[in-house]
Amino acid sequence: MLKGRHLIEPMDFTNEELEGIFDLADDIINNPKEYAHVCDGKILATLFFEPSTRTRLSFEAAMLRLGGRVIGFSEPNSSSVSKGESIADTIRTVGCYADIAVTRHPKEGAPKLASMYSNIPLINAGDGGHHHPTQTLTDLLTIRSVKKRLSNLTIGLCGDLKFGRTVHSLIKAMSRYENNRFILISPPELRIPEYIRKEILQKNNIPFIEVEKIEDCIDELDILYMTRVQRERFFNEEDYVRLKDSYILNAEKMTRAKSDMIVLHPLPRVNEISYDIDNDPRAYYFKQARFGMFVRMALMAKLLGVVE
Ligand code: NCD
C-alpha cells in the first residue's frame, strides 16, 4: 500500500510497488477521462526552494488533470523561509492546508528531513546533486513503454555524471533489475561520485565501464541518456565554461547507433543534443516529458489512496 507514504529516494518503493504505479500510469494514458475527478477536493502544495519549470509544471498539470487544485511557491524569497523558518516548520504548517506536497531543495537531505515532520505524503522533486526520484519514475516508465522491459539493457549515461542527480537516481533504480550494464561517458572531472561507484555498482556486481567519448560506445547502447552540465553546482565559472560543451550528440554520431537505441534527456537541454536529431524516431526526450506527467498522476493518486 502506498497510501500515506513519502517518496524521497528511488529505493523507497519496491519493484512491485513501482510496477503498480507504472500499470496505473498506463491505464491513465489509455483512459484519461476515468481519472479526471479522482482528486476532486484535494490540494497539492508545491514547495520549490530551487528554481524549476518543468518539474513543477508537470506536477501542477498532473494534479489539475486528476481534478485537484494546487497551491505553493516557486522561489524561497516569496515564502517565510526568507524570515528564517525551518523546513520542518514549513512542512508542518503546509500539512494543515494541503493533502500532499512536493518539494525541491538545493540542500541534499532536506526533503528527507522534512518528511520526518510531515503528516501528509511528501515527494522529493530534487535535492541538490543527490536524488530526483520522480524523474526516475519518468525514465523507467518511458523505458518500459518503449523497450518493453527494464532488464537486459545496456545504458549509456553521458555528460555531468558528478552533479547530475537524475543520473544518480537512475543508476540506483536500474541496478535493481537483472542483467543491466552501464557505460558511463564523462570527462574525468565529471565522473560519477565515489558512493555511487562503490555502494551501488561495485557492491552489487553491476557491470560498468567509464569512457570519455560517445563515439567509442554508441553502437553498443540500447539507451543513451544525455544530461546537461549542471552549471549551478559548479564552484567556478571557468570550469563550467571549459566543460560545458564536452558532448554534443548530432546526426553524424547517431548514424553509428542501433536502429532501436533511444535517446533520453531529463531536460532542459542546453547544447548537448543538436536540434538536427529532434525528428529522428529514436529521439524520445519530449515524449519522455509527457510520460513524466502521467507517472506523477499515478504516483499522487496512489499516495493519496484515491485509486487502488
Ligand atoms: C533535471 C533536474 O532538475 O535535475 N531536470 C528536471 O527535473 N526536469 C535535470 C537538469 O536540471 O539538468
Side-chain angles (χ1 to χ4, degrees):
M1 268 291 268
L2 290 176
K3 185 175 178 188
R5 303 250 301 266
H6 306 299
L7 175 60
I8 305 302
E9 71 128 304
M11 307 300 238
D12 285 349
F13 298 164
T14 63
N15 284 4
E16 290 68 38
E17 287 167 339
L18 292 182
E19 279 305 298
I21 294 173
F22 300 145
D23 288 343
L24 177 57
D26 282 342
D27 203 48
I28 296 174
I29 291 170
N30 294 325
N31 309 290
K33 283 203 180 117
E34 278 179 31
Y35 295 90
H37 294 287
V38 294
C39 281
D40 278 359
K42 301 286 185 198
I43 295 180
L44 163 71
T46 59
L47 317 173
F48 278 72
F49 298 90
E50 189 184 71
S52 156
T53 324
R54 72 212 64 242
T55 302
R56 186 170 51 82
L57 293 185
S58 171
F59 269 105
E60 293 190 9
M63 184 46 96
L64 296 175
R65 282 175 188 265
L66 293 170
R69 279 174 291 179
V70 184
I71 56 172
F73 57 85
S74 54
E75 49 129 0
N77 294 339
S78 63
S79 80
S80 290
V81 175
S82 61
K83 300 180 190 166
E85 186 179 53
S86 70
I87 191 165
D89 280 5
T90 304
I91 192 68
R92 279 186 287 202
T93 313
V94 167
C96 303
Y97 314 142
D99 303 287
I100 185 165
V102 53
T103 191
R104 170 171 286 191
H105 203 284
K107 281 212 185 96
E108 283 87 359
K112 172 81 191 160
L113 178 78
S115 73
M116 288 153 65
Y117 293 90
S118 180
N119 63 349
I120 57 172
L122 179 66
I123 301 167
N124 174 13
D127 58 327
H130 197 212
H131 278 302
H132 192 348
T134 64
Q135 182 63 48
T136 305
L137 297 186
T138 303
D139 302 340
L140 297 189
L141 178 65
T142 310
I143 296 168
R144 190 182 103 133
S145 303
V146 184
K147 291 292 196 189
K148 310 288 178 220
R149 64 185 195 274
L150 290 168
S151 51
N152 299 308
L153 292 163
T154 298
I155 306 146
L157 296 149
C158 179
D160 187 346
L161 310 187
K162 180 177 181 187
F163 297 114
R165 56 192 170 197
T166 64
V167 167
H168 306 157
S169 292
L170 186 59
I171 293 178
K172 240 181 165 177
M174 289 301 281
S175 295
R176 290 204 296 188
Y177 297 91
E178 272 175 27
N179 214 15
N180 287 327
R181 176 173 164 248
F182 295 98
I183 302 190
L184 306 170
I185 313 155
S186 74
E189 296 91 333
L190 297 179
R191 283 194 188 149
I192 49 159
E194 199 53 22
Y195 80 93
I196 300 275
R197 189 179 297 108
K198 283 224 167 92
E199 294 297 311
I200 298 161
L201 295 170
Q202 291 170 348
K203 197 166 163 185
N204 298 302
N205 289 321
I206 314 280
F208 73 98
I209 53 170
E210 298 186 84
V211 301
E212 279 182 43
K213 283 195 166 161
I214 300 183
E215 295 88 318
D216 291 347
C217 62
I218 192 165
D219 58 330
E220 293 179 50
L221 304 176
D222 299 308
I223 297 163
L224 174 55
Y225 193 93
M226 297 296 295
T227 62
R228 88 185 152 90
V229 176
Q230 306 276 302
R231 179 182 205 158
E232 66 276 33
R233 308 207 194 283
F234 273 69
F235 295 109
N236 68 65
E237 183 73 8
E238 232 172 79
D239 285 351
Y240 170 72
V241 170
R242 186 166 50 80
L243 294 168
K244 73 180 174 58
D245 291 328
S246 299
Y247 300 103
I248 299 176
L249 182 65
N250 57 20
E252 198 271 312
K253 288 183 185 134
M254 285 295 282
T255 59
R256 303 185 207 190
K258 289 186 196 169
S259 59
D260 64 348
M261 183 192 83
I262 59 170
V263 182
L264 301 180
H265 190 305
L267 304 177
R269 139 174 76 180
V270 186
N271 266 337
E272 56 283 347
I273 300 181
S274 151
Y275 279 59
D276 67 6
I277 70 158
D278 287 355
N279 292 326
D280 187 311
R282 294 169 292 184
Y284 266 87
Y285 26 93
F286 292 114
K287 292 184 189 126
Q288 184 185 357
R290 193 157 167 81
F291 279 119
M293 179 184 70
F294 289 118
V295 90
R296 290 179 173 107
M297 290 171 77
L299 172 67
M300 289 192 287
K302 290 260 184 192
L303 298 183
L304 286 165
V306 294
V307 173
E308 256 316 290

